[in-house]
Amino acid sequence: MLGYKSNNNVVYSSNYHVVWCPKYRRKVLVDKVAKRLFELIPKAASKYRAEVIALEIRPDQVPLLIEVDPQFGIHRLIKCIKGVTSHDLRKEFASLRTRLPSLWTNSYFCSTVGGAPLEVIQQYVENQKKV
């Protein structure tokens, strides 16, 4: 099944567009910090059996396209990635400890990606009672 993954219970294709920002939207994700973050995110994602499809590091935000096991959940994954990256970056770069009380905001943007348009799924569900 091309484009799908599975675990013991689920066959899935759960792709998400996620964006989060540093606290106070500070432009701290530059130079060595950005380079290190670019290494840490895929490493953290793979630890939780997620796959980074696309990643961009901007000075004041992190846009990410990622696939995650739906049984693990996107919220849990992002919480783990933000925790791991914040811990490692603040340990390595003293400037992040002095400029910010915590590296990331608590919030993030998340949107599902791919699959059929909503109208097609709605029609499919409605037509199931006729089968």
Side-chain angles (χ1 to χ4, degrees), residues 7 29 35 45 52-53 65 68 72 77 79 84 101 110-111 123 125:
N7 63 26
L29 307 177
K35 184 178 179 187
V52 173
I53 299 165
L65 182 59
V68 61
F72 189 77
L77 176 68
K79 186 176 178 179
V84 166
C110 179
S111 176
Q123 185 179 15
V125 171

Side-chain angles (χ1 to χ4, degrees), residues 28-112:
V28 295
L29 307 177
V30 293
D31 304 324
K32 291 180 182 178
V33 175
K35 184 178 179 187
R36 183 68 176 128
L37 181 59
F38 199 83
E39 296 167 356
L40 288 173
I41 290 175
K43 182 179 173 186
S46 67
K47 179 180 176 184
Y48 299 105
R49 296 183 45 223
E51 180 185 350
V52 173
I53 299 165
L55 171 62
E56 178 76 28
I57 308 293
R58 296 187 185 149
D60 64 344
Q61 65 175 287
V62 179
L64 172 67
L65 182 59
I66 194 160
E67 182 171 36
V68 61
D69 182 333
Q71 289 183 311
F72 189 77
I74 190 65
H75 176 71
R76 192 166 156 202
L77 176 68
I78 297 305
K79 186 176 178 179
C80 291
I81 289 174
K82 287 168 71 174
V84 166
T85 57
S86 176
H87 179 267
D88 289 354
L89 289 174
R90 289 168 63 84
K91 188 168 65 174
E92 292 177 37
F93 301 98
S95 63
L96 296 177
R97 290 192 304 269
T98 58
R99 291 189 64 196
L100 298 167
S102 61
L103 180 57
W104 306 119
T105 61
N106 290 330
S107 60
Y108 61 92
F109 165 82
C110 179
S111 176
T112 57

Side-chain angles (χ1 to χ4, degrees), residues 109-129:
F109 165 82
C110 179
S111 176
T112 57
V113 177
L118 185 58
E119 295 81 23
V120 173
I121 302 296
Q122 182 179 5
Q123 185 179 15
Y124 173 79
V125 171
E126 290 171 354
N127 288 334
Q128 287 301 297
K129 60 188 168 207

